[in-house]
């Protein structure tokens, strides 16, 4: 404005231009892609044989925790929630949620009692039917009974088979209908009739049924109904799809998403799930070493839901084996969030861990190896890593307890690598360890800058296990491109420092969209669909890095703070051909004309099979969803100008990967 408060022509022009820029930025998203400056940069890759360094064989893997209903109602394919009626606690009457009645209080009365045939979980359901089709109280059409909606709906698919198991007891003459139906009960997807004439149900009787669905419904439920007056007891009711991964009980589509990351290790079962808010609610592996009917289950008081523990220690070991991943077993060291065992009293916990290792690795003739054999796996599982506790380093008894675990495990199994909770990245540890945990949850810019976190870490001490990392908070939302780019920059730093970083895994891995205890997560699912967040797709860019050869790369630019690169040579297991992969993160809002120069390469580049893959989107805060699962998704194209000298355009806010298949070594004859 001029001195009199009036706008001159130049003022109007400036304000108009400013408003136009703001409007265009709003239309284009926060990056204002149409207006960015073009930046030039040079990327030099030294691919000479003497400059290469082997990356850890186990650098990138996955971490599974029972959080967000990741297992119960997720990867573990059981469809019935609270299948043993134990979730309400051992005292009766108890809450039977999510079970509910079909009928009303004049036709049916339901409660719990402690009459189960299972010693480890005594609670059963008592259903008293007050109506029939002949007396003063008539049952409604279809009868009365109970239903279970599963975990926010059971996904029943036409033509697929489902195994239904239930335990039933009654002294009355009954005709019980067992069915899979829609939420209103009108669509019958599969059903069978049980009668006392066919079964001796005066004592607890196991009933097994095999259903073939005659229709599809992603929100189906299990129904148990009758029109016969009398009392019926139920317990341990299960519905499992027959088509699980290798018949091992894992939901195939969720298993496939994890397997597609080619994880080199599986850390399990937590996380805070291992500790519990209180030790009485911590995960106890021995409680899962029985048939599913006998598993007592427990309340995970950190993430506030009940799990029947169908996904137990044996299943976790099987999961690691099925993934071709090394098992990383996180054990409770007598410490929870609110109570802890004093070191003089810790030996029982130490022995419990030694028993767990014997179960995994012991001979079929050993005490716990014999049980493993009886459960169907006579050959030992691979178990080479044990993490003692989770985020417990600052707790009063941690160091004393840790040392008891360390020396006992090393004495019995000297090859096992033991992981401490104490961070050794900045200063030496004051106790022995093979690796140390490093957890980081922060903003995108912070994590991006932490690509240099391990540059100055001592090369002589224990190696780092970055077992939990992610961008969280406002940068992340439910899984944004911005978060993924910060993580990509961090992972490139781990590649560069793979001589001191042995393993890394994102957290959390799974979230059921109906129970978001934590945001963001790598894989989002509900009863019938799933998608990967941008953070999941970033991990796809690094799945060839484990065991690859790392080559140094440098970027020269006027402002290179937003650019990070890495280069590896990896071998394709399908054709045994070598490939050079160059990755570039552009965390800035400018397009970059990048000149790439690869020197010292002895092999030739197969330009006809070279490709470029880009992960980006129109707005840096874009997320995927069930409605748009591939909004932020890697797009691959052929790269026609591939060679040791290339010019590549790098998009703003993007992760770019250039894959160059290599041919045989070229020899130049001396003249």
């Amino acid at each position: 404005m001029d001195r009199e408060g009036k706008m001159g022509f130049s003022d109007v022009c400036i304000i108009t231009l400013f408003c136009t820029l703001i409007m265009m930025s709003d239309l284009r998203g926060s990056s204002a892609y149409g207006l960015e400056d073009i930046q030039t940069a040079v990327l030099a890759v030294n691919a000479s044989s003497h400059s290469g360094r082997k990356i850890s064989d186990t650098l990138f893997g996955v971490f599974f925790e029972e959080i967000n209903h990741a297992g119960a109602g997720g990867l573990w394919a059981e469809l019935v929630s609270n299948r043993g009626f134990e979730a309400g606690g051992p005292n009766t009457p108890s809450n039977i949620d999510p079970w509910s009645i079909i009928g009303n209080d004049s036709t049916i009365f339901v409660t719990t009692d402690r009459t189960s045939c299972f010693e480890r979980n005594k609670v059963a359901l008592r259903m008293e039917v007050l109506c029939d089709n002949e007396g003063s109280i008539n049952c409604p059409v279809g009868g009365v009974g109970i239903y279970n909606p599963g975990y926010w709906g059971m996904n029943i698919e036409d033509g697929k088979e489902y195994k239904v198991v239930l335990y039933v007891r009654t002294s009355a003459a009954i005709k019980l209908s067992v069915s899979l139906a829609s939420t209103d009960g009108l669509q019958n997807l599969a059903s069978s009739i049980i009668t006392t004439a066919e079964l001796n149900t005066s004592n607890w009787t196991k009933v097994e049924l095999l259903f073939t669905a005659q229709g599809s419904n992603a929100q189906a439920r299990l129904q148990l109904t009758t029109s016969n007056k009398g009392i019926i007891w139920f317990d341990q009711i299960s519905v499992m799809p027959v088509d699980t991964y290798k018949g091992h009980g894992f939901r195939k589509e969720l298993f496939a998403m994890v397997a597609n990351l080619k994880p080199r290790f599986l850390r399990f079962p937590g996380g805070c799930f291992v500790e519990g808010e209180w030790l009485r609610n911590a995960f106890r592996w021995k409680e899962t070493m029985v048939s599913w009917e006998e598993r007592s289950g427990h309340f995970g008081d950190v993430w506030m839901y009940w799990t029947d523990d169908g996904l137990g220690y044996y299943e976790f070991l099987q999961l690691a084996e099925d993934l071709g991943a090394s098992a990383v077993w996180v054990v409770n060291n007598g410490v929870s969030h609110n109570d802890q065992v004093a070191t003089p009293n810790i030996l029982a916990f130490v022995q419990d861990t030694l028993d767990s290792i014997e179960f995994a690795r012991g001979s079929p003739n050993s005490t716990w190896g014999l049980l493993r054999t009886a459960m169907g796996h006579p050959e030992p599982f691979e178990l080479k890593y044990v993490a003692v506790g989770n985020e417990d380093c600052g707790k009063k008894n941690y160091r004393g307890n840790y040392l008891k675990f360390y020396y006992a495990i090393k004495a019995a199994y000297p090859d096992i690598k033991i992981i401490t909770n104490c961070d050794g990245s900045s200063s030496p540890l004051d106790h022995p360890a093979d690796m140390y945990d490093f957890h980081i949850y922060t903003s995108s810019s912070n994590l991006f800058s932490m690509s240099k976190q391990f540059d100055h870490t001592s090369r002589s001490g224990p190696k780092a296990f970055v077992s939990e990392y992610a961008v969280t908070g406002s940068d992340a939302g439910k899984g944004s491109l911005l978060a993924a780019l910060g993580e990509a920059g961090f992972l490139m730093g781990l590649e560069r420092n793979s001589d001191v970083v042995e393993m890394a895994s994102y957290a959390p891995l799974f979230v059921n969209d109906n129970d978001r205890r934590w945001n963001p997560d790598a894989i989002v699912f509900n009863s019938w669909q799933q998608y990967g967040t941008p953070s999941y797709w970033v991990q796809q860019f690094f799945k060839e890095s484990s065991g690859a050869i790392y080559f140094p790369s440098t970027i020269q630019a006027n402002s290179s703070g937003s650019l990070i690169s890495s280069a590896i040579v990896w071998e394709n297991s399908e054709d045994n051909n070598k490939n050079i992969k160059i990755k570039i993160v552009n965390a800035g809002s400018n397009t970059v004309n990048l000149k790439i120069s690869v020197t010292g390469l002895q092999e030739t580049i197969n330009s006809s099979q070279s490709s470029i893959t880009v992960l980006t989107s129109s707005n840096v805060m874009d997320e995927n969803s069930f409605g748009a699962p591939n909004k932020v998704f890697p797009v691959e194209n052929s790269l026609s100008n591939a060679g040791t000298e290339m010019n590549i355009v790098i998009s703003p806010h993007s992760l770019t990967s250039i894959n160059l298949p290599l041919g045989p070594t070229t020899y130049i004859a001396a003249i």
Side-chain angles (χ1 to χ4, degrees):
M1 292 186 182
D2 61 21
R3 293 178 181 177
E4 297 179 0
K6 298 179 181 179
M7 293 185 185
F9 178 78
S10 60
D11 299 310
V12 173
C13 290
I14 292 170
I15 291 175
T16 301
L17 176 60
F18 177 78
C19 291
T20 301
L21 291 173
I22 293 295
M23 290 175 65
M24 292 182 70
S25 177
D26 288 342
L27 290 171
R28 288 281 188 169
S30 63
S31 300
Y33 286 178
L35 299 169
E36 75 277 354
D37 295 327
I38 304 298
Q39 182 179 346
T40 60
V42 175
L43 170 59
V45 177
N46 181 357
S48 60
S49 58
H50 67 273
S51 67
R53 186 183 71 244
K54 190 175 184 295
I55 295 175
S56 164
D57 288 330
T58 56
L59 183 56
F60 294 120
V62 292
F63 163 44
F64 181 97
E65 178 167 11
E66 183 58 87
I67 179 178
N68 307 318
H69 274 89
L75 182 63
W76 188 244
E78 172 65 63
L79 297 181
V80 177
S81 177
N82 189 17
R83 65 187 178 191
F85 306 103
E86 307 291 330
N91 299 316
T92 58
S94 56
N95 189 353
I96 63 171
D97 185 72
W99 291 92
S100 191
I101 65 168
I102 300 170
N104 56 48
D105 57 11
S106 68
T107 58
I108 186 172
F109 176 73
V110 171
T111 187
T112 53
D113 61 25
R114 294 181 54 81
T115 62
S116 173
C117 60
F118 300 107
E119 290 300 320
R120 300 165 66 93
N121 39 19
K122 295 300 296 183
V123 176
L125 185 83
R126 179 185 183 274
M127 182 177 83
E128 183 175 0
V129 179
L130 307 173
C131 64
D132 56 26
N133 291 329
E134 298 177 356
S136 58
I137 304 176
N138 290 326
C139 291
V141 176
V144 297
I146 56 174
Y147 73 85
N148 188 290
Y151 297 91
W152 301 279
M154 297 182 180
N155 182 35
I156 304 301
E157 298 180 73
D158 186 39
K160 290 198 172 181
E161 292 183 318
Y162 300 85
K163 183 179 180 181
V164 181
V165 178
L166 64 149
Y167 287 77
V168 61
R169 177 172 69 90
T170 181
S171 57
I174 63 163
K175 184 179 180 181
L176 180 70
S177 174
V178 181
S179 63
L180 298 172
S182 57
T183 53
D184 57 10
L186 298 179
Q187 183 189 14
N188 189 339
L189 301 165
S191 62
S192 184
I193 301 295
I194 301 171
T195 66
T196 49
E198 298 171 347
L199 297 169
N200 176 19
T201 53
S202 57
N203 296 313
W204 280 107
T205 302
K206 181 179 183 179
V207 178
E208 296 186 71
L209 304 168
L210 185 63
F211 284 169
T212 301
Q214 305 297 313
S216 296
N217 192 314
Q219 299 295 315
R221 68 187 193 184
L222 172 70
Q223 297 185 162
L224 305 173
T225 56
T226 184
S227 295
N228 298 116
K229 197 171 188 177
I231 300 174
I232 311 172
W233 283 264
F234 297 107
D235 200 9
Q236 297 303 334
I237 302 171
S238 169
V239 178
M240 282 285 283
V242 172
D243 187 23
T244 62
Y245 184 78
K246 288 187 175 181
H248 292 160
F250 308 122
R251 181 169 152 182
K252 290 179 75 172
E253 60 273 27
L254 295 184
F255 178 91
M257 289 196 72
V258 180
N260 286 340
L261 294 174
K262 297 182 180 178
R264 294 298 181 94
F265 66 85
L266 170 69
R267 178 181 184 239
F268 65 87
C272 298
F273 182 73
V274 169
E275 302 161 283
E277 286 292 328
W278 300 91
L279 281 172
R280 64 176 175 265
N281 292 320
F283 178 76
R284 304 287 183 167
W285 73 273
K286 285 180 180 175
E287 295 299 310
T288 71
M289 292 294 101
V290 290
S291 66
W292 65 267
E293 295 99 329
E294 290 282 3
R295 298 187 187 188
S296 54
H298 78 287
F299 180 66
D301 60 356
V302 176
W303 306 120
M304 300 300 290
Y305 62 88
W306 173 266
T307 169
D308 291 309
D309 283 335
L311 192 56
Y313 181 52
Y314 175 87
E315 287 77 17
F316 279 120
L317 291 169
Q318 185 65 69
L319 176 60
E321 184 176 271
D322 287 347
L323 289 168
S326 294
V328 181
W329 171 219
V330 186
V331 301
N332 186 289
N333 66 103
V335 176
S336 78
H337 289 180
N338 291 296
D339 61 340
Q340 51 189 296
V341 176
T343 298
N345 304 327
I346 199 62
L347 292 185
F349 283 75
V350 175
Q351 186 59 52
D352 189 67
T353 294
L354 293 174
D355 291 345
S356 73
I357 300 171
E358 182 179 284
F359 175 86
R361 294 181 34 158
S363 73
N365 298 322
S366 63
T367 301
W368 291 100
L370 183 64
L371 177 58
R372 183 192 68 240
T373 300
M375 294 180 74
H377 203 286
E379 294 299 318
F381 288 105
E382 180 190 275
L383 178 59
K384 296 187 293 187
Y385 304 92
V386 172
V388 180
N390 173 74
E391 297 180 350
D392 295 328
C393 183
K395 305 287 179 62
K396 175 183 176 181
N397 294 325
Y398 179 74
R399 280 176 171 79
N401 291 3
Y402 170 86
L403 289 173
K404 294 290 187 181
F405 279 83
Y406 180 87
Y407 288 116
I409 295 171
K410 282 295 185 182
Y413 303 96
D415 64 306
I416 284 184
K417 292 188 176 182
I418 300 175
I419 304 162
T420 176
N421 291 175
C422 300
D423 178 15
S425 62
S426 301
S427 58
L429 296 172
D430 61 0
H431 54 273
D434 296 297
M435 283 190 283
Y436 58 86
D437 257 335
F438 184 92
H439 294 183
I440 180 65
Y441 297 99
T442 187
S443 67
S444 182
S445 59
N446 262 3
L447 197 60
F448 188 83
S449 67
M450 288 178 68
S451 66
K452 300 179 180 179
Q453 173 68 28
F454 296 96
D455 285 6
H456 304 293
T457 295
S458 170
R459 266 47 196 170
S460 61
K463 294 189 177 184
F465 179 16
V466 185
S467 59
E468 299 183 30
Y469 74 85
V471 170
T472 54
S474 59
D475 283 354
K478 292 183 178 180
S480 69
L481 173 63
L482 178 63
L485 295 179
E487 291 155 6
F490 179 65
L491 295 185
M492 288 185 186
L494 300 189
E495 284 183 322
R496 186 176 65 255
N497 288 288
S498 59
D499 58 324
V500 292
V501 179
E502 189 156 335
M503 295 176 167
S505 50
Y506 179 91
L509 180 62
F510 283 117
V511 60
N512 187 314
D513 195 47
N514 296 283
D515 185 36
R516 284 184 175 269
R517 304 281 168 167
W518 185 284
N519 285 315
D521 310 270
I523 300 169
V524 184
F525 66 90
N526 57 24
S527 69
W528 62 283
Q529 55 188 340
Q530 59 284 321
Y531 66 85
T533 61
S535 295
Y536 171 83
W537 293 114
V538 160
Q539 292 173 65
Q540 292 277 1
F541 283 72
F542 292 83
K543 63 184 181 181
E544 289 92 10
S545 296
S546 299
I549 303 299
Y550 178 84
F551 288 107
S553 61
T554 56
I555 293 180
Q556 296 179 346
N558 293 333
S559 177
S560 61
S562 62
L563 298 172
I564 297 179
S565 67
S566 75
I568 65 169
V569 167
W570 65 282
E571 188 172 304
N572 190 330
S573 60
E574 295 179 1
D575 56 18
N576 296 321
N577 288 335
K578 291 184 178 180
N579 301 259
I580 185 168
K581 175 175 280 192
I582 302 169
K583 298 187 292 290
I584 307 101
V585 182
N586 182 4
S589 57
N590 296 331
T591 297
V592 176
N593 285 335
L594 183 66
K595 180 179 180 181
I596 299 176
S597 177
V598 181
T599 59
L601 189 65
Q602 294 183 337
E603 298 91 344
T604 58
I605 291 175
N606 186 340
S607 59
S608 64
Q609 295 182 17
S610 297
S611 62
I612 182 170
T613 304
V614 180
L615 180 73
T616 190
S617 193
S618 59
N619 190 302
V620 77
M621 293 306 297
D622 278 349
E623 301 176 357
N624 293 332
S625 64
F626 290 125
N630 295 330
K631 187 172 186 177
V632 185
F633 184 81
V635 176
E636 181 179 356
N637 288 293
S638 59
L639 187 62
S640 58
N641 66 331
T644 55
E645 301 287 334
M646 298 177 286
N647 290 308
I648 304 294
V649 176
I650 306 297
S651 300
H653 298 299
S654 67
L655 170 59
T656 299
S657 176
I658 300 166
N659 196 65
L660 309 171
L662 300 179
T665 302
T666 300
Y667 296 97
I668 301 175
I671 298 176

